[in-house]
Every structure is written in C-alpha cells, then in structure tokens.
C-alpha cells in the first residue's frame, strides 16, 4: 500500500508552534504576542492567506486581539460591527464553520460575503477556542481562493485553537491568583494597622 509523503519540514514547524504555545503554560507571558504568533503560524502552516483571533469579553462580546494583515483585521472588525459572519456563528455554536466559497453564502451573510470579497477573500474557516463546554473565542482562517481544508489541516487548526485556549485560561488563572494575593496583602496590612491602633489606644 502506498502512503502519502510526509512534509517533515512542515511537521517540524507545527511541532515548534505547539511547543511555543505549551511553553506559555509554565511561565508568565504576553498574550497578545502569543496570539499574534498564532495568526502568522496559521498562514505559514495551513496555507491561509490571512488569519485572525477574537476573544470573548465581559458581556459575551467578542474583541479582535490579533490579525496577520490589514485586510483580515478590517474584515473581522466588520463582522463584529455587523454582528454577523462565520466567526460569530462558530463562537455561538461552539463548532467550526467552513465557508469554502463565499459566493455560496450571500443568503446567509449577505453583507459579510460582499465585504470579504471586496477585501480579496473567497473562503473563510472559523474554529472555536473551546475548553470542554466553554467557548472563549475564535480563530479565523481566510483564503483568497475557494478552499476546502483537508481533514488533517482542519485538525491542526482546531488543535492550535484548543491549546491557545488553554494558554488564555492559564493567564487568567495567574491574573486571578495575583489579584487574590493583592487582596490578602491589603487585608493583612489593614489588620496590622488596626492592631497597632488598638495597642496605642490601650496605652492611653
């Protein structure tokens, strides 16, 4: 039986990206830098023309946090302002949304499809950033030609989105611990001041 040739160089780059994302679990890191590297890795590893990352905020809104180029930035901003597009559907449903040819999606997202084509994109794939039942964002891949991702590329894209999700949760836990530590220190300092004041009053 013949087998598909393995692109060892591409596999090495995929492995390095996973190592980079995994490294963020062991130490403090700049989330914006990591997600920016993720968008460029999607372009490099998955053959996308451009990529973007959106994260959920308080109130279940999405914010654009990273883009690989200006056109994808503009398109993601348009999705958020119009409150319509593949990324919002992937975020709401927690499942990938594949648009192989935007010419077939004018009924579903008429304004988005028109804007995407005007910016030079003909295909969009949105992958939810999820951990168990919680979805915290979306990774978007944009192509300038109608594109159907291979099952392998779809698995890599979702895996990148998933490990980036763990990185976000890790950072949030670090920030929460720092906040709790600060609150405890403030409480301790207040307690010390109160005890000192009580001691001074007892001497009067």
């Amino acid at each position: 039986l013949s087998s598909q040739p393995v692109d060892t160089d591409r596999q090495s780059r995929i492995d390095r990206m996973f190592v980079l994302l995994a490294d963020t679990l062991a130490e403090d890191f700049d989330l914006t830098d990591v997600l920016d590297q993720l968008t460029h890795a999607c372009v490099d590893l998955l053959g996308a023309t451009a990529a973007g990352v959106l994260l959920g905020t308080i109130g279940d809104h999405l914010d654009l946090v990273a883009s690989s180029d200006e056109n994808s930035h503009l398109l993601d901003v348009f999705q958020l302002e119009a409150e319509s597009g593949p990324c919002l559907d992937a975020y709401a449903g927690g499942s990938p949304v594949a648009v192989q040819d935007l010419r077939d999606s004018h009924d579903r997202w008429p304004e988005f499809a028109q804007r995407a084509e005007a910016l030079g994109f003909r295909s969009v794939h949105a992958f939810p950033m999820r951990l168990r039942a919680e979805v915290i964002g979306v990774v978007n891949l944009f192509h300038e030609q109608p594109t159907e991702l291979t099952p392998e590329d779809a698995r890599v894209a979702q895996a990148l989105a998933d490990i980036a999700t763990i990185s976000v949760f890790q950072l949030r836990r670090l920030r929460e611990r720092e906040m709790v530590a600060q609150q405890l220190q403030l409480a301790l300092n207040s307690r010390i001041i109160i005890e000192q004041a009580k001691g001074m009053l007892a001497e009067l």
Side-chain angles (χ1 to χ4, degrees), residues 25-172:
L25 306 180
E27 58 185 42
D28 199 1
F29 60 94
D30 188 313
L31 181 62
T32 303
D33 286 346
V34 171
L35 296 180
D36 183 66
Q37 291 183 62
L38 174 61
T39 63
H40 288 89
C42 287
V43 172
D44 174 43
L45 302 174
L46 302 171
T49 304
V53 178
L54 301 99
L55 287 181
T57 59
I58 296 174
D60 208 30
H61 296 292
L62 283 171
D63 279 343
L64 177 62
V65 294
S67 299
S68 65
D69 70 6
E70 182 63 22
N71 283 346
S72 62
H73 176 93
L74 293 173
L75 185 55
D76 275 332
V77 169
F78 178 80
Q79 285 193 85
L80 297 177
E81 292 178 346
E83 298 183 347
S84 176
C87 80
L88 276 77
D89 286 8
Y91 182 64
S95 298
V97 175
V99 186
Q100 297 175 14
D101 192 336
L102 283 164
R103 291 175 298 186
D104 299 329
S105 66
H106 282 267
D107 290 339
R108 187 173 181 182
W109 308 292
E111 294 180 347
F112 170 81
Q114 182 178 3
R115 179 61 62 91
E117 291 178 41
L119 289 169
F121 300 120
R122 291 284 300 279
S123 177
V124 182
H125 295 79
F127 294 89
M129 298 175 66
R130 63 196 179 192
L131 183 62
R132 300 184 182 89
E134 186 171 357
V135 181
I136 65 167
V138 185
V139 175
N140 294 320
L141 307 182
F142 304 99
H143 293 82
E144 61 185 2
Q145 298 296 332
T147 301
E148 179 181 2
L149 291 183
T150 66
E152 178 188 356
D153 282 349
R155 285 193 296 270
V156 171
Q158 187 61 66
L160 288 170
D162 289 344
I163 193 169
T165 302
I166 297 172
S167 297
V168 173
F169 273 105
Q170 172 72 359
L171 181 62
R172 288 179 177 176

Side-chain angles (χ1 to χ4, degrees), residues 3-12 152:
S3 59
Q4 291 289 338
V6 177
D7 185 342
T8 56
D9 180 62
R10 177 178 182 266
Q11 187 60 51
S12 295
E152 178 188 356

